Amino acid sequence: METVAVSPKRAMKTDPSVNVAIIGAGPYGLAAAVHLRAANVETCVFGEAMEFWERQMPVGMCLRSSWAASHIGHPSRELTLDEFAASESWCISKPIPLDRFINYGRWFQRCVAPDVDRRRVVRIERGSKGFRLRLDGGETVHAQRVVVAAGISRCRWRPPQFDGLPKELASHSAEHHDLRHFSGRRIVVVGGGQSALESAALLQEAGAEVEVIARQERIRWLDQRAGWLKSERNPLRSLMYPATDVGPPILNRIVAAPDLFRRLPRAIRERIAFRSIRPAGAGWLASRLRDVPIRTSRVVESARPAEDGVELRLDDGSRRNIDHVLICTGYRVDIARYSFLAPDLLSSVRTADGYPLLTDGFESSLPGLHFLGAPAAWSYGPLCRFVSGTPFSGRALTRRIAGDRTVTRHAAVPDHERAGAVLAEPS
Ligand SMILES: Cc1cc2nc3c(=O)[nH]c(=O)nc-3n(C[C@H](O)[C@H](O)[C@H](O)COP(=O)(O)OP(=O)(O)OC[C@H]3O[C@@H](n4cnc5c(N)ncnc54)[C@H](O)[C@@H]3O)c2cc1C
């Protein structure tokens, strides 16, 4: 098939076809795009860059992951956070503030995929050339392969005891970009992980009256005892703590090697995953929560609207009368929540517990359909839930796709054109 370099807008009008369509312009979609393009695989990216981070994480938040674990994957390890910081004359601060990371992601996007098509993909179905994608606005694009890097925003987990409460009384952490509007109100935060603890700190600092209710026996603080072990003075540091920064020593080595993880018996994989991502807070948060009551080993048994807010009943028989419950119970992957996947396509994807079962190159049981990010965690492990998994996934995906003889390459396309969308006219 002869390929023609065309502008995305012109291409859309001619109902174009592309080799690889990437759904999502978060860290995983962007890393996939730069790896595929570096291998001269024609690629089109859809979505709003860094949208999840911008809209569904709270102002004032800092990343839990370390500096070394927060570079978005690039085939020649370029466009790192360090490069971005230097280009912005940013005096590096650790932990990484959310707004800096969003700017980093957008800078990365402008460098590797300035042609991102910001429209949403509303439907993916089987098509004559593999897949047919319908975009917001009604236009259609054909793709031989589709890479779903659409994140977890649709997979919020809201425990059933809060079902009877409207969102003015009980909301998921993802529903807020700014917690400051809770100033002066009585808030219970449910959960014991980073999101719950950081939200509680931000709420308290904004002048809310906060209490945290967590079901685990104690709050785990990360890196509080690692001091010298994680410091530059430890000659074994890089051996003990790979840059990926997921999981405790020894297990972190296995997590950092998703191809190895994938080959382990399922029971072992589950144990490693559980141990690597159980709820915990970054050590630097502890001092900010000194004045926030944290009740552990407690579960909210029921919640109902009351005259002046919400009444919660806990499993120890105690009650709370408050203004609002902030539910920080995380996300549960279920690809059925990707409403853009046509039902017959979804039913062709083998799954376990809502996760697609993936083979080499993050490919699902439906050939040509790939999943990156958290949905890949069942097969490739907990690394896929973090930005530090983007280098591996970009490489593995590209090995699989670039090795496929049917994809169109662009050997003759000069570098400056390659940054833009290079779409093939339908043959
Ligand atoms: C509060 C919180 C704190 C976190 N902190 C960290 C941290 O410190 N370090 C870390 O590594 N990870 C952290 N994470 C996890 C983080 O969300 C993931 O690492 C990261 O977002 C995964 O990137 P992604 O590209 O898979 O998904 P996302 O970043 O969610 O990107 C998905 C993209 O897909 C797009 N999209 C979705 N549907 C469509 C569609 N139909 N059409 C077009 N585009 C679509 C969206 O617009 C979005 O741009 C945190 C998560 C939360 C909730």
Side-chain angles (χ1 to χ4, degrees):
M1 179 167 65
E2 192 190 338
T3 59
V4 188
V6 288
S7 81
K9 280 209 175 94
R10 211 196 101 202
M12 294 309 149
K13 281 185 191 140
T14 54
D15 198 14
S17 132
V18 64
N19 272 152
V20 181
I22 299 174
I23 320 301
Y28 274 87
L30 294 173
V34 65
H35 280 81
L36 288 168
R37 287 178 173 189
N40 298 320
V41 175
E42 61 169 357
T43 304
C44 204
V45 187
F46 295 97
E48 203 57 79
M50 301 300 284
E51 184 185 26
F52 181 59
W53 296 78
E54 164 100 71
R55 303 214 182 138
Q56 297 182 27
M57 297 191 197
V59 171
M61 183 194 114
C62 287
L63 270 65
R64 194 183 90 174
S65 55
S66 67
W67 185 271
S70 305
H71 309 295
I72 300 175
H74 185 286
S76 44
R77 299 184 188 191
E78 291 166 40
L79 305 181
T80 59
L81 268 170
D82 304 81
E83 266 182 63
F84 171 67
S87 76
E88 295 270 294
S89 310
W90 165 24
C91 203
I92 293 169
S93 51
K94 297 177 189 174
I96 304 165
L98 174 66
D99 57 343
R100 291 288 183 181
F101 187 71
I102 294 170
N103 288 344
Y104 166 59
R106 297 220 170 109
W107 171 79
F108 191 96
Q109 174 258 310
R110 286 194 298 277
C111 295
V112 307
D115 56 329
V116 160
D117 189 321
R118 295 169 65 187
R119 286 175 294 183
R120 297 192 83 70
V121 174
V122 293
R123 197 55 146 193
I124 306 176
E125 47 204 8
R126 291 176 206 264
S128 54
K129 292 169 184 153
F131 300 92
R132 190 167 55 238
L133 283 67
R134 192 149 40 81
L135 307 178
D136 207 3
E139 284 171 88
T140 302
V141 177
H142 297 272
Q144 283 176 16
R145 288 179 181 272
V146 169
V147 176
V148 178
I152 48 169
S153 68
R154 291 171 188 78
C155 303
R156 298 166 197 172
W157 167 242
R158 190 178 153 119
Q161 53 272 44
F162 302 107
D163 280 354
L165 296 178
K167 77 175 193 192
E168 302 76 56
L169 296 180
S171 54
H172 192 277
S173 52
E175 290 170 54
H176 302 278
H177 171 55
D178 193 343
L179 295 170
R180 286 174 295 192
H181 66 90
F182 285 120
S183 175
R185 302 180 69 196
R186 299 162 299 166
I187 313 290
V188 159
V189 172
V190 175
Q194 175 74 5
S195 169
L197 299 169
E198 196 163 14
S199 297
L202 290 166
L203 283 164
Q204 207 248 358
E205 287 155 7
E209 195 185 309
V210 194
E211 179 180 8
V212 176
I213 296 181
R215 67 176 173 193
Q216 65 259 37
E217 276 174 23
R218 64 180 179 87
I219 298 295
R220 288 183 200 86
W221 298 108
L222 296 171
D223 295 343
Q224 276 202 320
R225 278 175 293 171
W228 181 83
L229 289 175
K230 273 201 157 179
S231 80
E232 310 251 318
R233 285 170 290 139
N234 176 7
L236 299 178
R237 186 178 70 131
S238 58
L239 203 64
M240 293 176 68
Y241 298 101
T244 43
D245 200 24
V246 181
I250 301 178
L251 297 188
N252 55 10
R253 284 263 150 220
I254 301 172
V255 171
D259 263 336
L260 165 66
F261 181 93
R262 197 155 68 94
R263 285 170 174 79
L264 296 173
R266 190 175 136 205
I268 295 179
R269 278 192 284 157
E270 276 179 14
R271 239 177 291 161
I272 295 173
F274 171 77
R275 187 66 186 75
S276 299
I277 55 163
R278 59 188 181 171
W284 47 260
L285 258 180
S287 60
R288 289 170 58 192
L289 288 166
R290 253 194 310 256
D291 299 327
V292 174
I294 300 179
R295 314 279 171 225
T296 52
S297 305
R298 286 284 161 270
V299 174
V300 175
E301 281 194 332
S302 67
R304 63 179 188 87
E307 216 168 90
D308 58 346
V310 190
E311 185 186 85
L312 303 181
R313 200 163 53 77
L314 273 54
D315 59 347
D316 62 353
S318 64
R319 289 168 198 269
R320 304 287 187 277
N321 283 295
I322 47 149
D323 296 312
H324 193 90
V325 192
L326 188 65
I327 304 168
C328 298
T329 44
Y331 299 80
R332 290 194 177 172
V333 170
D334 181 0
I335 59 162
R337 299 244 187 145
Y338 286 147
S339 53
F340 54 78
L341 294 176
D344 84 304
L345 209 120
L346 193 60
S347 63
S348 307
V349 177
R350 284 185 55 224
T351 58
D353 230 1
Y355 291 80
L357 298 177
L358 305 177
T359 58
D360 285 349
F362 292 81
E363 191 162 15
S364 69
S365 53
L366 179 61
L369 184 64
H370 303 249
F371 289 87
L372 299 184
W378 181 277
S379 303
Y380 282 92
L383 188 65
C384 300
R385 298 180 189 276
F386 298 90
V387 175
S388 57
T390 57
F392 173 83
S393 64
R395 283 194 305 272
L397 178 79
T398 304
R399 256 198 316 274
R400 170 73 186 96
I401 294 180
D404 175 357
R405 300 252 170 261
T406 62
V407 301
T408 310
R409 306 295 199 82
H410 290 278
V413 178
D415 278 350
H416 67 276
E417 278 181 27
R418 213 175 281 150
V422 182
L423 302 178
E425 299 284 16
S427 53

